[in-house]
Amino acid sequence: MVVLSGRAVGRATLARQMLVERADVSAVEAVGRLAGMQGQEAKHPYVGLWSRVDGFAEEDLDRAVADREIVRATLFRGTLHLVTAEDYLRFRTTLAPVLEAGLRMLKERAEGMEPAKVVAAAERILAKEPLTFTEVRDALQGEFPEVNERALGFCTRMLVPLVVYPTGVRWGWPANARFTPAEDWIGKKLHQKEAQGELVIRYLQAFGPATPADFQTWSGLSKAKPVFDSLDLERFTDEDGKTLYDVPDAPRPDPGTTVPVRFLPEFDNLLLAHAKRQRIIADEHRPAVFTKNLRIKATYTVDGLVAGLWTAAKKRDVATLTLTPFGRLLKKDLAALEREGTALLGFLEPTAKTYEVVTGG
């Protein structure tokens, strides 16, 4: 079996992530290629697309959301993701076991709750109008006064196919957004047939080469190896002797391929899609990025690996991007980060009059 070096594996994934070269594609095609984007907070997929799509503009994603071609919904790992409407319809049933298993987190708070009855009530309530989850919980509490209100809301979030209702605010959705039934919003029915094999292919096209454990980490599904073994996939070995699976004829650039600096938003899926993440971040840097309160900080890459953190802020008419490097930066890399960072500030803060990129401690 062909052995792929860590650098070769990293370059292959970066190419599929459109981070070796920005792609000339629509927002819908980009989100589809990525098999969805972590959408914990509304702003971050916009930044992720800006770093991946040539000429991406904020209104490109706004338009796709308004046209109901892209939706924001609870999906992979039971978290909010931005996905194409077609992918949501195709894979919601496949991922239902992940969402159903999430109810176990409720433990004693689920006492007295009958999920089927809660789902039926929630569907009836939400069919009338889009509601925030505070409003959903309040309405359900009136029907199930003996059940924990948080449990009622969580059951609805996990078991009822919903999408986040967009508004005219910047980045598409307010912090306390409303939810609405997915099938009503998209205008089509969910696919009822499970399609885990298809989902594995889509995962590898976006994040491969990879292991079944990597797919499980990304999707939340379990026992994936038999599915991998049933598919017509190529097999490689990594430097530790583990078998890596990949779709035939997928891009696997030369390990020496030059990779430009790139800025990744908070919660970027590239940092969440593998059980072992050395292809994108060294183990010693992970504590600085993955916080104890489950946030994943915004990062930048140099030569294809996470090399530091970034934050952006605007004060009066000045927009500032602050870099926090994990080590010493070469002059050429710092210059590249300053160029790319200034362009990013222009995207984030278009009304600013001055843009500054500074290096913090």
Side-chain angles (χ1 to χ4, degrees), residues 50-82:
W50 179 86
S51 287
R52 291 171 164 96
V53 175
D54 188 31
F56 175 75
E58 186 178 327
E59 54 267 26
D60 297 338
L61 181 51
D62 290 342
R63 190 179 310 112
V65 170
D67 290 343
R68 309 190 186 196
E69 295 179 291
I70 289 176
V71 297
R72 186 172 168 228
T74 301
L75 205 58
F76 306 108
R77 306 183 297 279
T79 59
L80 283 173
H81 275 71
L82 202 72

Side-chain angles (χ1 to χ4, degrees), residues 94-139:
T94 302
L95 292 159
V98 178
L99 305 175
E100 292 164 5
L103 294 186
R104 291 198 293 264
M105 296 172 56
L106 292 171
K107 298 180 180 177
E108 65 275 3
R109 285 182 294 175
E111 184 178 347
M113 185 174 72
E114 297 180 61
K117 291 183 178 180
V118 174
V119 167
E123 288 176 337
R124 173 171 38 80
I125 291 164
L126 283 155
K128 299 175 184 177
E129 61 178 329
L131 297 171
T132 67
F133 260 92
T134 298
E135 292 169 333
V136 171
R137 287 196 301 265
D138 289 346

